[in-house]
Amino acid sequence: MAYKSVIEILTAIKNKDVSASELTSDYLNRIKDNDDDLNCFITVTEESAMRKAKEIDDEISKGIFKPLSGLPIAQKDIFCTKGVKTSCGSKMLDNFISPYDATVIEKLNNAGTIMLGKTNMDEFAMGSSNETSFYGPVKNPWNKDYVPGGSSGGSASAVAARISPCSTGTDTGGSIRQPASLCGICGLKPTYGRVSRFGMIAFASSLDQAGLFTTDALDAAVLLKEISGHDPKDSTSSDVDVPDYYDYCINNNKSTYTIGIPDEFTKDLNDEVKKSFFDSIKVLEKIGCKIKNIKLEHTGLGVSAYQVVAPAECSSNLSRFDGVRFGHRSKKASSLEELYRESRSEGFGKEVKRRILVGTYALSAGYYDAYYLKAQKVRNLIAQDFKNAFSEVDLILGPTTPDKAFKIGEKMNDPIAMYLSDVYTVSTNLAGLPAMSIPMGFKDKLPLGLQIIGNHFDEKNILKLCHLYQRETDWHVQEPND
Amino acid sequence: MDKKTIDKLTFLSKLSIPESDIDELSKNLDNILKLIGEIDAAPTDGLAPMAHPLDFNQPLRDDVSKKNINRNENQYDQTKTKDGYYTVPKILD
Amino acid sequence: MTNMWETVIGLEIHVQLATNSKLFSSSSTNFGAEQNTQASVIDLAMPGVLPVLNKKAVEMAIMFGLSVDAKIAEKSIFARKNYFYPDLPKGYQISQYELPVVYDGKLSINVDGNEKVIGITRAHLEEDAGKSIHDLYDGQSAIDLNRAGTPLIEIVSEPDMRSAGEAVAYLKKIHSIVRCLGISDGNMEEGSFRCDANISLRKPGDKFGIRAEIKNINSFKFVESAINYEVDRQQEILESGGSVNQETRLYDPKKNETRPMRSKEEANDYRYFPDPDLLPVSISDDEISRIKQFLPELPDTKKERFINEYSIKIDDAEILSSSSELSDYFEQSIKTATSEIQLLANFILSEVIGLCNKNNIDISQAKVKPEDVAKLNNYIGDGKISMKQAKEILSEAWISSVPVDQIIASNNIEQISDPDLLTDVAKKLLEMHPKEVQDYRNGKDKLMGFFVGQIMKETQGKANPKVLNQVLIKLLKGV
């Protein structure tokens, strides 16, 4: 059974070439065969997956087809799933059974997908290597000594290893695009507000956005339509119309774009990454795109501003994990103060604690103006840079990451080096823009990613350009074990 | 970052850091403060702080109460409850 | 020594809004449900949940703002106030810090006939916390989160009050406004209306002294005693050369004293910042005009109208307009009134309210209808019954729920006010007592009492004293 993409799977189901049960059982077997080693999954929901597959097959036999009927999918363990452990990669939630479904989960369930399990991730999505997970690091299927990136490392590695055809992720500073880049697949972070955040465990509320991993841009187009739209349960979700992305990619005549390349994204690149990137640009020029050099002058401030805003919000968002109503509760506590301090200190890992402390500092009396408020102004500065750029160009391109994947353990004790690996991705989160990473080549047999940034709510043109690029190239169909 | 500041931050954030980790933490926090301190020189005169990437107004909800609460599901962890109450070590004041 | 110090008081009043659902979730706000059955995943701050703002709560806050001449913010922002407590599930309270929905208002109060204007700094929306119960289990506190997320407005006054009396008058005025607007039930026992008082002393003309904050006082009486206690305490400290600690204190009604809270709130740093889960709320002029149209008549306006329309005393108008239940009762009774309205007001304020208080019920539950109260007054005015009889009939009607007309008819307690009838009775009496008549005419005035007494005996007390008096004088003096 060798279906290459979500679209092939949906077609095969529709043509009754394969049943949902057969397909699900095939993927569950692939997980069994590979995941002891890769560690992509925290929880495999075999039983409920097979039950759901049977339901879908029954529906299909009655002629009921939903948009994604029978599609197996892996869900990042940051999304609450009713009755299933939802850990967020943390000891804090090792025993947490969610009493409700996230909106993204509900929408995907209703569209007919079959959840294979919950994927590994950096603890509370704080990390760029998947090494901060309570459940151990995930491996990169291209070379198991290397990280898959993070925080959505499990979701990215699972799709790259073809043990799930697609998966969900979340992106606060690059947590979809960076692992997609390092694992050689497509990772789409939609516009802030495009997809509901309800039921997605918050890291930094004004930056977090749910998105997708697939192997093909068209697959992402099909899935995005199903998870997008206003959710009455999320005040920050937008009611901007959701187009038929797939239809736009296939049938719309638009075929050329004015593409901006910011100097700030290319000037410090190593030779291999630079070559892959400019080779990709040549491909786009060949199909008629116009290239323009632009400035995103304040890119260099992105990581610093991000490392204020994200920890500030996280320090508050993570206060609910106090051991009182759910999650880890220390057995050592004999007073309320101890209950709080011991439960939180035992439940959170080092990186999470660091960010809580930095965030608490940035919001505290005497430092608020210099850190939090100033960072919000820098955020505006960065947003203005993009606004100016989009008055001249349709899309902005650059590499997703400064380099290929790094080795497991290599940056674990150097938080600053880890933070700086997000240099090309954080600024889009600060500005709330949509962006996607697709494979553009290899360095030392490890994948490299091309990042396409669009204007607010312009996912359709990002997807279309990716589709056009993928028609000309074959990076995205290469598999780790070829 | 000195011990006094770390103590204040751990008090506010209800964390406790083992004595043996303080040095490493302090060094890391200093490096992070250096990194985030770079925003200090940013030319932001006249720019409003941007709390949110979206520029639209808060949608409001109609005042309708719904009865969809399942206390048993919410209190899945019975070690934390008694007779439907959450329990914590006795609070003074 | 005492008048060396000026007391400075500012109040923060927390008013629970009478919405059906919570401020940021659809859970019911009903009081008294079984523990944690009105706490949804949102109220419990389960991982991943998000707040969605209740429209009605915003409207209610605007109604309040319009009622105290305040400005309504065009753009209002919600902020997180961060601190840990088991009754605060998120570890932060969603409140407002910069840009509250209502700001810059004022309210006039009346203490001992003196008008005074108290500034209202702001009124902001925020969510209530749950409840901690400390005496249920040994060694453990029990947490009920049913109340968590219930909408409140916190009304912050300027430090404009100078005595416990002014503070209570201000508090009562706010209470009557929120009840009149229907935005809160104002139930102090259930905690729907509670108050923190900031108190400091200074020498007149000096800048403000160091203040102590007394938390969560939940009755008008306690506010008065707590402030008075605190003023004495601070005065003692200052006069012995000490200085007041800036701290949070609790009032203990049983001991009638305030004491510092054991947990030091001062050590906290709330780290307010805009809640990234909520966008700015914008309130248009159209919206404000729309809400203005539905505002009920406010106590002050009503008071003026009562004075002008019914010519009643200012103090009576003040009381009668203070709650809509009472003013409704009063105005309902006026529809049936033919006698002087001031007398009717007197009767309601002394007799009807007296019975309500004795039975510990609200005027809206009074056992005698306003129409019947008006009738009793009409009959007094017509001389049909005496004041004494009216009170007796009211008491009987209160107990039996029998209409007053029926009580009057069945007990034959109508007063004899017909001058002709009384003249006949008096003539007979005077004929029987020629000596006394002679003595009276010779200047023994006090014999009048004798004649009245005899006739009262004769008529079983039903003679209208006023008419009888006139009749007797006419007969005796031939006027």
Side-chain angles (χ1 to χ4, degrees), chain A residues 186-207:
Chain A
C186 301
L188 171 64
K189 170 221 170 305
T191 310
Y192 184 91
R194 177 77 297 180
V195 180
S196 169
R197 292 186 298 116
F198 186 78
M200 184 176 121
I201 299 177
F203 161 15
S205 311
S206 77
L207 303 164

Side-chain angles (χ1 to χ4, degrees), chain C residues 30-261:
Chain C
N30 285 344
F31 182 81
E34 198 185 324
Q35 55 273 18
N36 292 311
T37 55
Q38 282 177 189
S40 68
V41 290
I42 295 170
D43 311 318
L44 294 171
M46 284 282 176
V49 298
L50 295 170
V52 182
L53 182 57
N54 186 336
K55 186 177 183 188
K56 189 83 195 169
V58 178
E59 288 175 354
M60 286 178 165
I62 296 171
M63 285 170 78
F64 175 77
L66 293 173
S67 307
V68 293
D69 277 336
K71 300 198 172 77
I72 308 298
E74 208 175 303
K75 182 178 144 183
S76 182
I77 287 178
F78 283 92
R80 294 182 179 180
K81 178 183 182 181
N82 294 283
Y83 66 97
F84 284 84
Y85 204 74
D87 65 14
L88 186 74
K90 293 188 290 293
Y92 57 84
Q93 178 194 32
I94 306 179
S95 179
Q96 299 195 285
Y97 189 60
E98 289 174 321
L99 307 182
V101 63
V102 169
Y103 63 99
D104 208 359
K106 59 181 190 295
L107 189 63
S108 76
I109 56 168
N110 187 320
V111 180
D112 305 327
N114 299 317
E115 287 274 316
K116 178 169 183 181
V117 174
I118 306 297
I120 293 175
T121 319
R122 56 188 280 156
H124 63 251
L125 279 162
E126 64 181 26
E127 49 180 355
D128 209 344
K131 279 182 183 158
S132 314
I133 305 156
H134 306 303
D135 52 7
L136 202 57
Y137 304 122
D138 271 353
Q140 286 182 310
S141 291
I143 315 294
D144 173 13
L145 296 170
N146 281 349
R147 195 179 69 179
T150 299
L152 298 175
I153 43 172
E154 180 178 332
I155 304 161
V156 183
S157 82
E158 291 289 309
D160 285 348
M161 287 154 276
R162 294 291 173 268
S163 68
E166 287 183 10
V168 171
Y170 168 78
L171 195 62
K172 283 189 169 165
K173 193 77 177 264
I174 296 279
H175 189 254
S176 81
I177 289 175
V178 298
R179 300 241 305 146
C180 169
L181 292 172
I183 63 174
S184 176
D185 64 16
N187 190 324
M188 296 176 97
E189 273 167 30
E190 291 175 4
S192 309
F193 191 89
R194 44 193 208 266
C195 150
D196 304 340
N198 286 300
I199 300 157
S200 64
L201 300 185
R202 66 170 171 185
K203 291 183 179 159
D206 277 8
K207 59 184 174 70
F208 292 135
I210 298 166
R211 65 190 166 82
E213 182 179 12
I214 311 175
K215 280 263 180 211
N216 269 331
I217 328 176
N218 65 353
S219 91
F220 295 124
K221 205 179 108 218
F222 294 163
V223 168
E224 185 158 12
S225 341
I227 292 175
N228 285 332
Y229 176 89
E230 187 59 23
V231 168
D232 288 348
R233 186 186 73 87
Q234 292 188 14
Q235 190 174 325
E236 214 166 284
I237 293 172
L238 293 170
E239 284 179 359
S240 63
S243 61
V244 173
N245 282 338
Q246 178 157 352
E247 63 186 357
T248 308
R249 300 175 70 87
L250 290 175
Y251 176 68
D252 182 342
K254 284 185 202 125
K255 296 182 185 159
N256 185 31
E257 62 174 31
T258 66
R259 58 180 163 80
M261 280 177 76

Side-chain angles (χ1 to χ4, degrees), chain A residues 80 96 100 197-201 205 232 234-236 316-317 319-320 325-326 336 340 344 363-365 368 372, chain C residues 41 44-52 80 82 84-86 89-92 145 269 271-274 276-277 279:
Chain A
C80 284
F96 177 61
Y100 76 103
R197 292 186 298 116
F198 186 78
M200 184 176 121
I201 299 177
S205 311
D234 176 4
S235 306
T236 63
S316 175
N317 282 335
S319 293
R320 67 189 58 200
R325 299 162 314 287
F326 47 78
L336 179 66
Y340 284 148
R344 288 167 62 78
L363 289 174
S364 64
Y368 181 89
Y372 180 76
Chain C
V41 290
L44 294 171
M46 284 282 176
V49 298
L50 295 170
V52 182
R80 294 182 179 180
N82 294 283
F84 284 84
Y85 204 74
K90 293 188 290 293
Y92 57 84
L145 296 170
D269 171 352
R271 290 158 284 137
Y272 282 99
F273 74 106
D277 289 331
L279 297 159

Side-chain angles (χ1 to χ4, degrees), chain C residues 43 58 63 83 88 92 99 123 148-149 180 193 241 255 265 303 324 326 329 362 410 435 441 447 452 461 470:
Chain C
D43 311 318
V58 178
M63 285 170 78
Y83 66 97
L88 186 74
Y92 57 84
L99 307 182
C180 169
F193 191 89
K255 296 182 185 159
E265 279 204 30
K303 176 181 147 190
S324 41
L326 181 54
Y329 192 93
D362 187 78
S410 61
K435 185 177 177 298
R441 286 184 174 144
L447 276 166
V452 171
Q470 287 164 357

Side-chain angles (χ1 to χ4, degrees), chain A residues 395-398 434-438 450-454 462 465-466:
Chain A
L395 297 164
I396 295 170
L397 265 65
M436 188 163 179
S437 177
I438 56 172
L450 173 68
Q451 180 174 222
I452 302 93
I453 303 169
I462 296 178
L465 183 78
C466 290

